[in-house]
Amino acid sequence: MGTHALGPGRRSVVWVQGCPFHCAGCLAPEWIPDVPARRVAPVDLAAELLADPAVTGLTFSGGEPMEQAAGLAETARLARRARPDLTLVCFTGHRLERLRDRPPNPGVPALLAAADVLIDGLYVAVRDDDRGLRGSANQRVHHLTDRLRHVDLTGGPRRIEVRMRGAEALFVGVPSRAMAALYPPADGRSAQ
Ligand code: SF4
């Protein structure tokens, strides 16, 4: 089922397991450990992401998507083979300049080439300004193509959705500071 909380329109989201950054106050700490998680081939993941025919885009979050850049780039390629209109928003703790100059693994250039928007930088809790799709004001929204340039992802109110999985509540989106305080991060999912 798509979400409206992690980018414009209705989006299918991938959260990858594992992040090397360990930001203090990370809103998605359960995704930080580099531990075995669900493994899925890009062709199968692309099919899952397209299962909701109403989605208009994909969002890659985590965890650190650049750690699995090749698989995600291939997933995006396969999804767009069926749906060329899909937009792609990707979060990363790296800076765009570093990704371009010294990509941390060989799949990074392909993922950058696939992304319409890259939201970069580490989460800094004291700079969380409760605005936009990025978690803190130091993070930057890069429009790598023109496809989503008309959408303001830096400002505006945040949005969060609550999904029930059995007795467990999952929070999808970038929570407000108030939400983050009310709902312990270990219970949910967030973008960065
Ligand atoms: S905020 Fe993002 S970059 Fe920082 S530790 Fe959490 S998942 Fe990693």
Side-chain angles (χ1 to χ4, degrees), residues 133-151:
L133 197 59
R134 79 281 190 279
S136 53
N138 59 293
Q139 294 176 314
R140 303 174 301 178
V141 175
H142 300 277
H143 288 273
L144 303 181
T145 73
D146 289 334
R147 299 174 81 189
L148 292 174
R149 200 175 291 278
H150 60 288
V151 182

Side-chain angles (χ1 to χ4, degrees), residues 37-110:
R38 177 175 175 239
R39 296 176 66 91
V40 57
V43 65
D44 297 324
L45 182 55
E48 283 186 37
L49 296 175
L50 296 177
D52 179 347
V55 297
T56 60
L58 310 177
T59 297
F60 294 160
S61 185
E64 174 50 61
M66 293 300 158
E67 293 287 297
Q68 302 186 47
L72 291 175
E74 177 64 2
T75 299
R77 188 187 71 81
L78 292 167
R80 280 176 166 155
R81 194 164 66 180
R83 288 277 311 279
D85 56 315
L86 288 175
T87 61
L88 174 57
V89 174
C90 184
F91 289 88
T92 180
H94 295 281
R95 285 302 194 188
L96 174 60
E97 294 82 356
R98 190 280 163 100
L99 293 173
R100 283 176 168 160
D101 296 345
R102 290 177 291 120
N105 66 68
V108 167

Side-chain angles (χ1 to χ4, degrees), residues 26-41:
C26 170
L27 299 169
E30 71 274 30
W31 296 105
I32 293 177
D34 190 11
V35 296
R38 177 175 175 239
R39 296 176 66 91
V40 57

